[in-house]
């Protein structure tokens, strides 16, 4: 994976590596590897020119942002002016963004150089990266297996060393799941911490933009760049800004770490073995490990799907062919169509109490259960994904595919934060530990993730 984020930034700041060289190296690597991996849908034709502008500023000794000279990949459901936000769908195949999303504005202000738009599951509907209309992404560290999804290209780009940091989105696990399968770091921030302006939504009440990076420092750096209030969004949290990357060295001696027997009930033993080993390491580092109760955890999955179907159905009504070219039902893939059909059905007046209302009750339950558990501990740790990634092209039923989200979707229902960091490998495939935190508990989550990363 090459050098870490701190070393890379240091080399750029010392003038040992120019931003232009860094971008050129990323483009060379993409050219060499991406025909097979398919992590990118489109490259930024101005990336080198933008890097030269950063180099000029660096030479003049101007004050530079936190990401100065780093190469950034963006999931294709985030608007980047002049590039296509296709959502990996034929529906938006020709949609060129006329504006920058708020997070993109912040990335550019910090000196980050966008190298291109990452591949993904169509409209972020999936857990495998296989539903993209641009073809499936391969897993660079477990070739022939799915990289996970829906931020498939973002995780694969990091794992293959094609860029320094990526932005993905997480509605039911789409940052943490591919981070786990590709052995990289990913954070799903607290609902509302990162502005959603400019994100093409899957399910607006669950969506969050967040970072994927090769190490915890890179993820922390990106998170502090994009987090923070956007007064133009009524759902944006007005929380104090935190320099997460400064807090990573602090040990975890006083941290209380929760585990739950529920996780092992829902998880394959090969995955659980790796996770148990990671919990042991946290204990050895001085954390106090405590059992917590999450009695209804498994109910979250169906509630997530019901609410997401309803919100996604509503979100897709604008793709009626008048403004963006194509009517979604006419050109989308099977999974997107399934969700539109289910969402249409669930949203009918006579169905409301049967599905949607009950799903909202489970959402309240999840909030309460995680809230109560997190009153007793600082973080809860467990597996990210209950099973190892399947081989590309294996036929899975929708229910089997949805089962990948058993352990990630509860966090989206509860509206809290969680990150994934590599815990080890099973059969040569990475397994990520999920560290789940309180509302705005990112600082502690990142510290625990860093502690585990440092002992590897
Ligand atoms: N796998 C989940 C789904 O298919 C979550 C995807 C996401 O977070 N975008 O909906």
């Amino acid at each position: 994976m090459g050098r870490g984020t701190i070393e890379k930034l240091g080399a750029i700041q010392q003038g040992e590596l120019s931003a232009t060289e860094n971008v050129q190296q990323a483009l060379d690597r993409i050219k060499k590897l991406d025909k097979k991996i398919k992590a990118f849908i489109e490259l930024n034709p101005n990336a080198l020119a933008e890097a030269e502008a950063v180099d000029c500023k660096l030479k003049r000794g101007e004050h530079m942002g936190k990401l100065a000279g780093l190469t950034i990949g963006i999931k294709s459901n985030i608007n980047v002016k002049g590039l296509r936000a296709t959502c990996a769908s034929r529906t938006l195949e020709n949609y060129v963004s006329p504006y920058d999303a708020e997070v993109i504005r912040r990335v550019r202000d910090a000196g980050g150089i966008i190298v291109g738009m990452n591949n993904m599951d169509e409209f972020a509907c999936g857990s495998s990266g296989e539903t993209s209309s641009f073809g499936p992404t391969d897993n660079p560290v477990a070739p022939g297996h799915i990289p996970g999804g829906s931020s498939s290209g973002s995780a694969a780009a990091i794992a293959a060393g094609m860029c320094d940091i990526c932005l993905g989105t997480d509605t039911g696990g789409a940052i943490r799941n591919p981070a786990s399968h590709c052995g990289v770091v990913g954070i799903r921030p607290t609902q509302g911490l990162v502005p959603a302006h400019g994100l093409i939504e899957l399910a607006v009440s669950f969506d969050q933009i967040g970072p994927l990076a090769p190490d915890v420092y890179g993820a922390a750096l990106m998170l502090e760049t994009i987090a923070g209030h956007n007064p133009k969004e009524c759902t944006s949290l007005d929380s104090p800004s935190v320099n997460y990357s400064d807090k990573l060295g602090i040990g975890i001696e006083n941290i209380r770490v929760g585990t739950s027997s529920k996780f092992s009930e829902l998880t394959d033993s090969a995955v659980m073995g790796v996770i148990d080993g990671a919990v042991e390491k946290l204990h050895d580092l001085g954390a106090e490990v405590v059992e917590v109760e999450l009695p209804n955890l498994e109910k979250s999955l169906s509630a997530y799907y019901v609410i997401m179907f309803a919100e996604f159905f509503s979100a897709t009504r604008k793709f009626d062919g008048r403004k963006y070219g194509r009517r979604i039902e006419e050109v989308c893939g099977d999974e997107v169509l399934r969700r539109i059909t289910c969402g249409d059905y669930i949203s009918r007046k006579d169905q409301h109490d049967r599905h949607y209302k009950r799903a909202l009750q489970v959402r309240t339950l999840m909030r309460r259960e995680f809230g109560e558990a997190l009153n007793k501990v600082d973080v809860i740790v467990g597996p990210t994904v209950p099973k190892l990634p399947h081989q590309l092209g294996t036929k899975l039923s929708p229910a089997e595919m949805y089962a990948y989200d058993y352990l990630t979707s509860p966090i989206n229902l509860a509206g809290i934060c969680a990150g994934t960091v590599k815990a080890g490998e099973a059969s040569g495939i990475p397994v990520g530990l999920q560290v789940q935190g309180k509302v705005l508990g990112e600082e502690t989550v990142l510290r625990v993730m860093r502690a585990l990363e440092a002992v590897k």
Side-chain angles (χ1 to χ4, degrees):
M1 221 181 268
R3 54 184 144 190
T5 308
I6 294 186
E7 292 75 28
K8 176 72 84 76
L9 271 173
I12 294 172
Q13 278 150 15
Q14 304 305 314
E16 292 155 22
L17 175 75
S18 70
T20 314
E21 282 163 346
N22 192 32
V23 169
Q24 190 58 57
Q25 283 169 13
L27 295 175
D28 290 347
R29 201 151 168 82
I30 293 169
K31 195 168 174 199
K32 184 168 155 218
L33 300 175
D34 210 38
K35 267 203 177 63
K36 183 169 178 294
I37 293 177
K38 295 202 188 78
F40 283 89
I41 290 177
E42 182 175 18
L43 297 180
N44 175 11
N46 301 321
L48 280 168
E50 289 169 21
E52 278 164 25
V54 168
D55 281 332
C56 282
K57 283 190 188 167
L58 279 167
K59 276 206 196 93
R60 286 201 298 264
E62 280 182 35
H63 173 75
M64 295 303 295
K66 291 176 190 248
L67 304 177
L70 293 187
T71 50
I72 315 293
I74 307 292
K75 190 173 180 179
S76 288
N77 56 355
I78 300 174
N79 278 280
V80 178
K81 190 175 179 183
L83 299 182
R84 286 182 307 155
T86 59
C87 292
S89 178
R90 288 183 53 215
T91 315
L92 293 174
E93 208 168 39
N94 303 314
Y95 169 63
V96 178
S97 302
Y99 70 102
D100 277 339
E102 176 62 19
V103 288
I104 300 301
R105 213 185 51 69
R106 294 180 183 187
V107 165
R108 290 196 201 277
D109 275 0
I113 296 153
I114 291 158
V115 286
M117 304 301 289
N118 290 126
N119 205 354
M120 58 185 279
D121 278 295
E122 184 177 16
F123 279 105
C125 296
S127 305
S128 72
E130 293 169 300
T131 70
S132 166
S133 68
F134 294 87
T137 304
D138 196 3
N139 186 328
V141 292
H145 292 80
I146 57 157
S150 65
S151 307
S152 46
S154 309
I158 297 296
M162 293 177 184
C163 61
D164 296 317
I165 307 179
C166 285
L167 286 185
T169 62
D170 190 311
T171 307
I175 289 175
R176 291 160 286 158
N177 164 314
S180 178
H181 290 327
C182 292
V184 304
V185 172
I187 310 279
R188 179 224 129 81
T190 301
Q191 197 70 28
L193 177 64
V194 174
H197 161 269
L199 165 65
I200 303 172
E201 72 267 39
L202 165 57
V204 70
S205 74
F206 294 137
D207 296 334
Q208 267 297 283
I209 298 173
L212 292 110
D215 47 31
V216 177
Y217 184 84
L221 202 64
M222 178 55 101
L223 184 61
E224 67 200 35
T225 304
I226 58 173
H229 189 226
N230 179 11
K232 293 189 193 121
E233 283 173 50
C234 62
T235 52
S236 169
L237 295 179
D238 194 358
S239 55
S241 70
V242 182
N243 278 336
Y244 304 106
S245 61
D246 286 347
K247 310 281 170 68
L248 299 176
I250 309 169
I252 56 163
E253 285 85 6
N254 301 318
I255 300 272
R256 283 167 74 88
V257 168
T259 58
S260 167
S261 58
K262 263 288 149 102
F263 296 142
S264 49
E265 282 169 32
L266 296 167
T267 306
D268 284 356
S269 55
V271 172
M272 210 55 221
V274 177
I275 297 303
D276 288 342
V279 176
E280 193 71 22
K281 283 183 192 159
L282 294 177
H283 176 259
D284 293 347
L285 289 167
E288 186 187 348
V289 179
V290 182
E291 178 76 15
V292 293
E293 302 284 325
L294 295 169
N296 292 291
L297 189 75
E298 70 281 6
K299 294 199 175 83
S300 138
L301 187 71
S302 44
Y304 162 74
Y305 272 88
V306 166
I307 297 169
M308 180 269 294
F309 286 157
E311 292 187 12
F312 182 57
F313 170 67
S314 156
T316 56
R317 294 311 81 204
K318 60 182 168 287
F319 304 122
D320 57 4
R322 289 176 202 200
K323 194 160 180 196
Y324 302 104
R326 302 202 171 132
R327 193 168 160 251
I328 189 166
E329 286 88 342
E330 279 165 15
V331 291
C332 69
D334 290 348
E335 182 56 32
V336 166
L337 194 58
R338 178 178 300 114
R339 293 179 187 215
I340 291 174
T341 312
C342 291
D344 185 7
Y345 177 74
I346 285 164
S347 308
R348 285 188 203 160
K349 198 161 183 288
D350 60 332
Q351 294 298 323
H352 180 269
D353 289 0
R354 271 181 74 192
H355 304 289
Y356 191 67
K357 202 169 146 194
R358 286 170 69 188
L360 290 182
Q361 285 165 349
V362 174
R363 185 177 198 160
T364 306
L365 191 64
M366 279 307 125
R367 233 176 241 156
R368 201 163 58 220
E369 279 187 6
F370 272 92
E372 280 167 12
L374 285 162
N375 272 337
K376 301 195 183 97
V377 293
D378 298 296
V379 293
I380 299 171
V381 300
T384 306
V385 192
K387 49 189 177 175
L388 292 174
H390 60 263
Q391 297 215 325
L392 278 164
T394 311
K395 279 261 168 291
L396 263 62
S397 68
E400 286 169 318
M401 192 65 93
Y402 297 170
Y404 273 115
D405 307 324
Y406 258 114
L407 305 172
T408 45
S409 61
I411 299 312
N412 303 69
L413 262 72
I416 56 180
C417 64
T420 290
V421 62
K422 187 174 171 185
E425 291 181 359
S427 316
I429 298 172
V431 170
L433 180 79
Q434 182 174 210
V435 183
Q436 300 145 93
K438 304 178 199 227
V439 166
L440 298 178
E442 281 81 358
E443 183 186 325
T444 313
V445 165
L446 285 158
R447 261 173 66 195
V448 173
M449 288 166 67
R450 173 61 199 150
L452 184 67
E453 179 183 65
V455 291
K456 269 190 301 201

